[in-house]
Amino acid sequence: MPTAPGTAAAAAAEGRSPPQSFSHMGSVCSSRSSAPVEASPTTKMPSLKLVYFDGKGRGEPIRWILAAGGQAFEQEKFGFEEWPAKKPTTPYGSVPLLEVNGKPLCQTLAIARYAGTIGGLVSTDPFKNALGDEAADTMAELCSTFFSTMFEKDAEKKAADEKKLFEETMPKIFGLWESRMSTKFFTDDKPIWQDVFLGHWLSRFAEINPQLIAKYPKLTALKDAVLQIDGVKKYLANPPTYSIPL
């Protein structure tokens, strides 16, 4: 998901330069059931290690999806000062990166989709999966715009960009999603990984701008339902602490 060059958000996503401040962010995108998926005795689950900065950023929705699917995973977390040495060792010079049995898988949504698939958080209906992908892709684009806006250095441009994002762009997209929803989750009464991805970012945005999210009761209900998925609930009951408040 693209980020504006030179921003702290870009650093968090791709490690291009260390940020000066993350204060704008606060503390904040089959079994097809809400219970974690368990492997059968004959299934060998992959060894997973998530490689990302020591912060939430783009890594946190992946952690939620892995948790929702009952997937055990290790983490390799690092600070910005370590990134220049680590960056050349990654295929695209960016993180998050998921090591699957020692092999690298890159790009946020590719990782999220894989994590959801092995966790059983997929629909048997290809069209419902595609609609979920549409929403996840759109949310990822929103997040990139959000990061760029929050870390804009020109005060006048920042104010204009924030106004457009929160008063035009987000309401238009959230209103569309609200009008489409007729089930507990985005496309069904049982969650798929895209619901977890959406629920994570809706939770983050609700912390930053609760009045905006409150205007959409169906999306609010989706967010709350994701928070009640067994694996997510367990993960958030004892969440990891991070040195980077992003």
Side-chain angles (χ1 to χ4, degrees), residues 43-238:
T43 302
K44 183 178 180 181
M45 302 306 290
S47 171
L48 305 174
K49 181 167 73 172
L50 181 64
V51 180
Y52 192 66
F53 292 103
D54 190 20
K56 291 183 177 180
R58 289 173 169 81
E60 192 69 0
I62 296 169
R63 298 177 185 119
W64 280 35
I65 294 167
L66 288 167
Q71 299 298 308
F73 63 100
E74 299 178 51
Q75 294 200 64
E76 181 181 333
K77 298 180 289 185
F78 52 89
F80 289 107
E81 69 282 358
E82 301 169 78
W83 179 239
K86 178 169 275 302
K87 183 177 181 179
T89 70
T90 66
Y92 298 105
S94 64
V95 287
L97 178 153
L98 183 68
E99 291 186 4
V100 183
N101 295 328
K103 298 179 180 179
L105 176 65
C106 306
Q107 305 297 359
T108 302
L109 289 178
I111 296 170
R113 186 174 295 107
Y114 172 76
T117 300
I118 62 172
L121 296 168
V122 292
S123 175
T124 56
D125 183 338
F127 186 62
K128 289 182 179 180
N129 283 319
L131 286 175
D133 285 344
E134 175 191 311
D137 289 346
T138 304
M139 180 63 88
E141 292 172 357
L142 269 182
C143 292
S144 289
T145 303
F146 172 75
F147 287 145
S148 297
T149 299
M150 290 299 98
F151 296 104
E152 171 59 52
K153 294 181 179 180
D154 183 287
E156 186 175 343
K157 186 176 187 302
K158 176 182 173 68
D161 288 349
E162 284 183 355
K163 181 178 176 64
K164 181 177 181 180
L165 178 63
F166 287 106
E167 297 183 16
E168 296 180 32
T169 308
M170 283 188 177
K172 180 179 180 180
I173 292 171
F174 293 166
L176 173 63
W177 289 348
E178 186 84 2
S179 70
R180 288 183 173 184
M181 287 185 64
S182 59
T183 51
K184 181 178 180 180
F185 293 97
F186 194 70
T187 64
D188 206 335
D189 286 326
K190 296 180 180 179
I192 54 179
W193 71 263
Q194 296 95 327
D195 293 306
V196 182
F197 189 83
L198 295 180
H200 166 268
W201 286 112
L202 289 170
S203 296
R204 295 279 296 271
F205 290 140
E207 292 182 4
I208 297 165
N209 193 329
Q211 295 82 10
L212 173 62
I213 304 301
K215 294 177 181 178
Y216 307 99
K218 293 178 184 178
L219 291 179
T220 297
L222 182 153
K223 169 183 68 69
D224 293 342
V226 167
L227 292 172
Q228 292 304 310
I229 294 174
D230 290 349
V232 175
K233 192 173 182 179
K234 182 178 179 180
Y235 173 78
L236 294 177
N238 186 28

